[in-house]
Amino acid sequence: MVRQVKSNTRVIKQVVVLGGGTAGWLSACHLAKKLLPNHPDGIRVMLVDSPDIPTVGVGEGTVPAIRESLQYLGISETDLLQTCDATFKQSIQFINWQPPMADGKMHSYHHVFDYPAPGFQQDLPYWALGHAGDSSFADSFSIQSSLCDAQLAPKLITQPEYQGTCNYAYHFDAGKFGKLLCDHGVNKLGVEHRQAKISLIETDEQGNISALVTDKNERISGDFFVDCSGSQSILLGKTLQVPFVSKKHMLFTDTALAVQVPYSKPTDEIPSCTLATAQTAGWIWDIGLTSRRGVGLVYSSAHLSDSEAELQLAEYLKGTNGQRVQVEPRKIPMRTGYHQEFWKNNCVAIGLSQGFVEPLEATGLLLFDISARMLAENFPSHQELMPLAANKFNKKVRLAWDKVLDFIKLHYCISQREDSDFWQDHRQSSSMSEQLAEDLARWQWQLPNQYDFTERAAIFNLENYLYVLYGMNFKTDLSQSAYRFEQVNVAKTNFQRYADMAAQAKQQLPGHRDLLDRIQRFGLQRI
Amino acid sequence: MNKQISPLSPAKHRDIYIRSNDNFLQASEDQLIPLVVQEVVDAATEFPVLFVKNSSTGEFTLVAMLGLKAQQNLYCSDESEQQYDANYAPLVLRNYPFYLQQSAEQQFAVCIDELSPLVNHDEGQKLFNDNDEQTDFLKNKAESLIKFVEQQHITKGFIQLLLEHDLLHPQKLTIRLNDNDPLTIDGIYMVDQQRLENLDDKVYATLRKNGALQIIHAHLMSMKQVNRLTRRLLKSANK
Ligand SMILES: Cc1cc2nc3c(=O)[nH]c(=O)nc-3n(C[C@H](O)[C@H](O)[C@H](O)COP(=O)(O)OP(=O)(O)OC[C@H]3O[C@@H](n4cnc5c(N)ncnc54)[C@H](O)[C@@H]3O)c2cc1C
């Protein structure tokens, strides 16, 4: 489906985004925000999507960076919460990622969004040496996991939009979120929306894309193209033939079964965190929206058959809903990895067209939000700059992907689960990046610190690693350096302070559903 | 104070009297008293008039500040044993012990707080005459309550107007009392004078024509009344 035409030098006047999933609309909004299509000298931004080709329809969990982006784009938090069935997310609760504990209880920990207070690293060795007693890492350095356990909201109704007592992100209905971005992009930012099915891609002799051709043979020309066509990667993968780098040897999951589950009654409490419950060959996400739950099993088809997977999901639903729900799960194939380049010639891929990693830390949206903004903020003013901008973009985005892959891998490879090949295979050193294997070897004797996290593009930092490592009971043996840590009482006072603060916050913060109900009625104020 | 608010009916309330309210003790623990725009100019001659958020809805409300900290009311206090002596008494204070409540059928009903100390059996005004008809006293009360609901509606519109033009901003009040630690009051919102001045001419003209500007100015000037509250506090402390 490639047609060649003569090239001629062009100034960039028209950007075309192919695809209207979350990635497409987020990219179009970011570009329009910077390129100002409504300005007489602005660059036009058009988004083309096909009503006949559905979006992937999942992607309901986010990370706190989304708040900054939405606010930057000028979207009101009240609109998001009122129109997208959205709820607050303060953490991911990982359940069963280690074998059951000595008392037979399920293992569970929170990767919370609040970072510990500055200076916390001074207290860290004391925690590792056991001076916080039974208190978990998260409870010793933040107040948020107990708030999640109490199903409280991260903020008060009197706090302005996008501000809270604790750091937070959202769960939302992906389709409704796309619609919100679409309305905002078209009505406020000047994005042009065109609905058409693209059946042919026109390229010039230099390999630039020159136009998209619809099935009605209409030509949509542009100077720059953003491929948000989903996992098909129509422009970057299919047309420009950029190879795909598989990462399946690191992360084995390749299939998802997704279902939408009703609440048993409309007053059911809604967790303010994502639940991620490990299974024999993968894990189950459980996300509470205001209207329903979104649940799905992510698994490795090499380790688990489809029928066994369906059974596992059904068992989980039965266990968490008290009744068997008659819902047909939707099967979604997943391909872990990314394209060798994300920006080639005059085309950038953003979204599933760029690559995929299992949604364990809800990094999908994050990665394409970052890349869309990076593209918008470094948008080349003329064609000659394109290769330079591309080079930088590719390096940064690739680094971001590699860091995310390592961080996801961490969750698996420090598990001691023995109950299936899936878990044992994850501990093979051949399945880890060299960097991660090295870090883990060192961290058995030395606490992770800021020197391990110097790259600025890293999305997951020291704090995130600590929540996961020590939430998973990773052992760092400091016995040889214990003599250096004599301020035991100072550290103990600090640990106690978090406990006191948590108790106080529990008094002040409203229940999660209660706050959501009130926001539905009264909205949040901008100031 | 406990309350028991019931709709008025001759059968139930034929025999009660309402004593006149001399010191508004029902508000003795209310630092902030809600206002409607129509009374801002008068209230501003005595109290700071400002905006706060309703703690259960987050919505902005217009209030007069009668104390310098939570639960303090320097005007309606028990201790002074004297008559309320401010230049102006907000409508909410004067309406007490009567309320207007909206029933499920959207009907308004006049209600009374049956536990109010103003309710008694021998002193003050009666609500119903011997024929079970409303007395003029009650009729007047009902009328002003209905008017008050309309005024609240207009007040909401006024606040909406301020928000639309991005005129409110949070303000921390710091008050020095003698040599003590300064007292800070959080959660207060005021009109931002700079933004007011920078409004485009057309918007400014609208605010002037619909009377909003006069209210804004009264509110801004009234902030000086914080000094009056401070003096009042020191006076009562020295007694
Ligand atoms: C199981 C699973 C769970 C996930 N969970 C999360 C999560 O919790 N958090 C998170 O951030 N991310 C998550 N993701 C990732 C997230 O769902 C996606 O990254 C996100 O939805 C973006 O998708 P997209 O816009 O790239 O593609 P799509 O949603 O597939 O959109 C593709 C668009 O391209 C258009 N299109 C395609 N072909 C043509 C054509 N020929 N002509 C015209 N238009 C065309 C379609 O109409 C559609 O609009 C998850 C993904 C999966 C698979």
Side-chain angles (χ1 to χ4, degrees):
Chain A
M1 52 193 257
V2 175
R3 169 163 69 186
Q4 298 252 325
V5 294
K6 273 218 156 15
S7 79
N8 51 347
T9 24
R10 287 166 299 198
V11 276
I12 302 177
K13 277 316 246 176
Q14 164 90 41
V15 180
V16 179
V17 178
L18 173 59
T22 346
W25 281 111
L26 204 56
S27 303
C29 285
H30 271 300
L31 287 165
K33 175 86 187 168
K34 269 277 173 287
L35 306 181
L36 306 179
N38 288 333
H39 190 279
D41 296 330
I43 298 177
R44 291 173 63 197
V45 178
M46 181 194 278
L47 183 143
V48 186
D49 68 351
S50 162
D52 304 335
I53 306 174
T55 60
V56 57
V58 283
E60 304 184 324
T62 57
V63 296
I66 185 88
R67 260 162 55 218
E68 211 268 314
S69 275
L70 294 175
Q71 196 172 19
Y72 162 80
L73 292 173
I75 293 173
S76 123
E77 186 176 35
T78 302
D79 286 349
L80 173 80
L81 291 162
Q82 290 183 343
T83 63
C84 301
D85 301 346
T87 59
F88 294 108
K89 172 179 174 187
Q90 308 197 62
S91 137
I92 301 172
Q93 183 178 10
F94 291 97
I95 302 162
N96 286 342
W97 285 71
Q98 288 289 16
M101 296 183 299
D103 57 6
K105 280 205 193 117
M106 289 189 294
H107 184 268
S108 159
Y109 74 96
H110 284 276
H111 174 193
V112 300
F113 287 150
D114 262 353
Y115 273 8
F120 79 95
Q121 285 192 65
Q122 287 179 358
D123 297 330
L124 187 56
Y126 296 93
W127 181 82
L129 286 164
H131 295 299
D134 284 342
S135 173
S136 69
F137 174 80
D139 281 335
S140 306
F141 291 94
S142 85
I143 64 172
Q144 211 166 11
S145 65
S146 57
L147 301 181
C148 292
D149 289 340
Q151 299 186 310
L152 297 176
K155 70 186 286 174
L156 305 165
I157 187 116
T158 48
Q159 281 168 326
E161 291 198 334
Y162 296 116
Q163 291 179 33
T165 304
C166 294
N167 198 6
Y168 64 87
Y170 313 99
H171 301 123
F172 49 57
D173 180 290
K176 292 181 177 172
F177 180 62
K179 175 88 180 39
L180 177 75
L181 291 174
C182 163
D183 287 346
H184 188 75
V186 171
N187 298 325
K188 299 276 165 61
L189 300 174
V191 177
E192 243 175 288
H193 185 193
R194 176 112 178 234
Q195 296 207 300
K197 192 165 180 176
I198 300 304
S199 51
L200 188 77
I201 312 299
E202 207 181 83
T203 57
D204 64 22
E205 67 233 10
Q206 292 175 342
N208 282 318
I209 293 169
S210 47
L212 312 180
V213 183
T214 72
D215 57 355
K216 302 209 171 65
N217 213 21
E218 294 153 324
R219 209 171 154 271
I220 301 172
S221 61
D223 309 305
F224 194 88
F225 291 83
V226 186
D227 184 355
C228 299
S229 62
S231 48
Q232 298 186 64
S233 194
I234 295 178
L235 304 182
L236 188 83
K238 290 220 174 96
T239 305
L240 299 181
Q241 305 267 316
V242 174
F244 187 81
V245 184
S246 170
K247 294 288 174 184
K248 198 176 172 185
H249 66 284
M250 281 178 78
L251 295 166
F252 319 136
T253 59
D254 58 3
T255 314
L257 290 178
V259 283
Q260 301 188 345
V261 190
Y263 287 107
S264 44
K265 44 183 194 312
T267 48
D268 278 356
E269 258 309 337
I270 305 173
S272 55
C273 57
T274 300
L275 309 180
T277 309
Q279 306 292 321
T280 55
W283 58 280
I284 287 174
W285 81 77
D286 189 344
I287 283 177
L289 305 184
T290 53
S291 51
R292 59 165 173 87
R293 284 156 65 201
V295 183
L297 170 64
V298 173
Y299 64 100
S300 155
S301 62
H303 295 89
L304 194 74
S305 72
D306 288 353
S307 56
E308 286 171 308
E310 277 183 36
L311 216 61
Q312 269 188 5
L313 183 60
E315 276 301 305
Y316 176 87
L317 289 173
K318 203 167 131 197
T320 54
N321 204 31
Q323 57 185 2
R324 200 180 180 91
V325 214
Q326 297 296 344
V327 264
E328 204 51 43
R330 196 157 63 89
K331 188 169 156 186
I332 306 168
M334 314 184 308
R335 183 169 69 148
T336 299
Y338 49 69
H339 282 95
Q340 206 165 49
E341 288 172 291
F342 312 104
W343 183 334
K344 185 167 182 196
N345 304 340
N346 66 342
C347 172
V348 167
I350 292 174
L352 292 174
S353 56
Q354 192 176 68
F356 179 81
V357 58
E358 59 180 83
L360 188 56
E361 286 280 354
T363 44
L365 254 144
L366 174 69
L367 278 165
F368 54 75
D369 184 28
I370 292 179
S371 15
R373 184 146 179 196
M374 200 189 301
L375 172 65
E377 295 191 343
N378 295 290
F379 201 78
S381 52
H382 51 280
Q383 301 253 335
E384 291 79 72
L385 276 178
M386 203 106 74
L388 299 175
N391 198 9
K392 179 172 155 198
F393 183 89
N394 284 329
K395 267 196 206 146
K396 291 241 176 210
V397 177
R398 189 180 178 128
L399 182 65
W401 273 99
D402 283 336
K403 292 289 156 192
V404 167
L405 285 162
D406 268 357
F407 187 58
I408 303 296
K409 179 70 183 178
L410 175 76
H411 295 68
Y412 289 105
C413 67
I414 57 175
S415 169
Q416 261 129 41
R417 279 185 69 138
E418 298 280 0
D419 54 315
S420 69
D421 289 346
F422 175 81
W423 291 95
Q424 298 186 11
D425 292 347
H426 261 301
R427 295 197 282 272
Q428 301 290 329
S429 54
S430 58
S431 73
M432 280 175 234
S433 75
E434 249 171 66
Q435 178 75 62
L436 182 62
E438 253 178 45
D439 285 341
L440 286 174
R442 253 177 333 103
W443 293 338
Q444 291 175 35
W445 305 102
Q446 183 191 327
L447 293 166
N449 64 28
Q450 67 276 21
Y451 301 107
D452 298 323
F453 299 87
T454 44
E455 298 94 343
R456 274 187 298 136
I459 295 165
F460 293 107
N461 297 305
L462 171 63
E463 290 82 353
N464 306 95
Y465 269 76
L466 294 175
Y467 281 125
V468 173
L469 280 167
Y470 298 121
M472 293 281 285
N473 306 344
F474 183 83
K475 288 278 168 290
T476 301
D477 185 346
L478 293 186
S479 54
Q480 285 160 343
S481 52
Y483 68 93
R484 295 183 212 162
F485 307 110
E486 290 184 325
Q487 309 273 348
V488 174
N489 287 334
V490 177
K492 279 189 173 166
T493 315
N494 290 341
F495 297 142
Q496 185 56 42
R497 185 164 335 129
Y498 275 112
D500 296 345
M501 274 161 48
Q504 204 185 356
K506 273 191 195 167
Q507 301 281 318
Q508 289 166 349
L509 289 167
H512 189 204
R513 193 185 271 280
D514 173 36
L515 179 65
L516 292 167
D517 285 347
R518 277 188 281 155
I519 292 174
Q520 210 54 243
R521 288 175 59 199
F522 305 110
L524 289 166
Q525 303 291 339
R526 270 185 302 136
I527 52 163
Chain B
M1 252 199 283
N2 281 336
K3 283 186 180 153
Q4 183 176 312
I5 297 182
S6 330
L8 280 178
S9 72
K12 210 168 162 202
H13 302 107
R14 185 180 296 131
D15 299 329
I16 60 168
Y17 291 74
I18 308 299
R19 198 178 281 132
S20 77
N21 200 355
D22 295 333
N23 41 16
F24 305 119
L25 280 186
Q26 80 271 11
S28 62
E29 291 183 353
D30 299 338
Q31 179 200 9
L32 304 168
I33 306 294
L35 293 180
V36 289
V37 278
Q38 290 79 358
E39 54 183 341
V40 165
V41 172
D42 288 329
T45 63
E46 182 83 34
F47 315 111
V49 172
L50 37 85
F51 303 85
V52 296
K53 281 184 184 171
N54 178 312
S55 64
S56 65
T57 68
E59 292 174 306
F60 283 101
T61 45
L62 179 64
V63 295
M65 191 164 87
L66 275 65
L68 290 171
K69 59 181 186 203
Q71 294 179 319
Q72 181 184 67
N73 187 318
L74 298 167
Y75 288 86
C76 313
S77 98
D78 231 347
E79 297 155 26
S80 55
E81 275 177 27
Q82 61 192 13
Q83 288 225 335
Y84 181 83
D85 63 354
N87 294 322
Y88 180 76
L91 284 166
V92 168
L93 296 183
R94 285 183 276 150
N95 286 339
Y96 187 80
F98 298 98
Y99 297 88
L100 207 55
Q101 276 187 352
Q102 208 166 4
S103 64
E105 304 87 51
Q106 304 289 305
Q107 287 279 4
F108 283 110
V110 179
C111 302
I112 190 164
D113 173 10
E114 292 176 339
L115 299 184
S116 164
L118 301 176
V119 175
N120 71 99
H121 284 276
D122 46 38
E123 188 194 336
Q125 304 276 352
K126 283 199 76 176
L127 301 176
F128 297 96
N129 63 22
D130 297 339
N131 301 327
D132 282 355
E133 290 158 348
Q134 300 193 348
T135 60
D136 285 346
F137 170 76
L138 178 55
K139 279 187 197 153
N140 284 338
K141 282 288 172 196
E143 233 168 76
S144 61
L145 285 172
I146 289 172
K147 196 162 152 217
F148 188 65
V149 171
E150 283 162 23
Q151 292 171 328
Q152 282 178 312
H153 201 70
I154 295 169
T155 305
K156 265 198 163 165
F158 167 72
I159 292 174
Q160 212 45 49
L161 194 66
L162 298 183
L163 291 173
E164 249 163 57
H165 297 295
D166 208 15
L167 285 172
L168 288 184
H169 75 130
Q171 175 80 45
K172 211 180 243 171
L173 280 187
T174 308
I175 297 161
R176 290 201 172 274
L177 300 169
N178 294 340
D179 301 331
N180 296 339
D181 285 342
L183 185 72
T184 52
I185 306 181
D186 268 332
I188 282 176
Y189 298 79
M190 286 177 58
V191 167
D192 187 317
Q193 300 209 44
Q194 198 63 48
R195 285 189 215 155
L196 185 64
E197 280 160 27
N198 293 341
L199 278 183
D200 79 47
D201 292 346
K202 234 164 106 192
V203 177
Y204 198 83
T206 329
L207 293 184
R208 184 164 48 78
K209 281 198 197 117
N210 67 16
L213 204 57
Q214 188 196 16
I215 297 162
I216 292 172
H217 284 307
H219 143 65
L220 288 171
M221 304 266 282
S222 80
M223 295 310 291
K224 290 267 178 268
Q225 308 290 12
V226 171
N227 296 328
R228 191 192 286 262
L229 291 184
T230 315
R231 273 203 310 277
R232 212 176 161 94
L233 177 68
L234 294 175
K235 218 165 90 193
S236 75
N238 289 338
K239 247 192 237 157

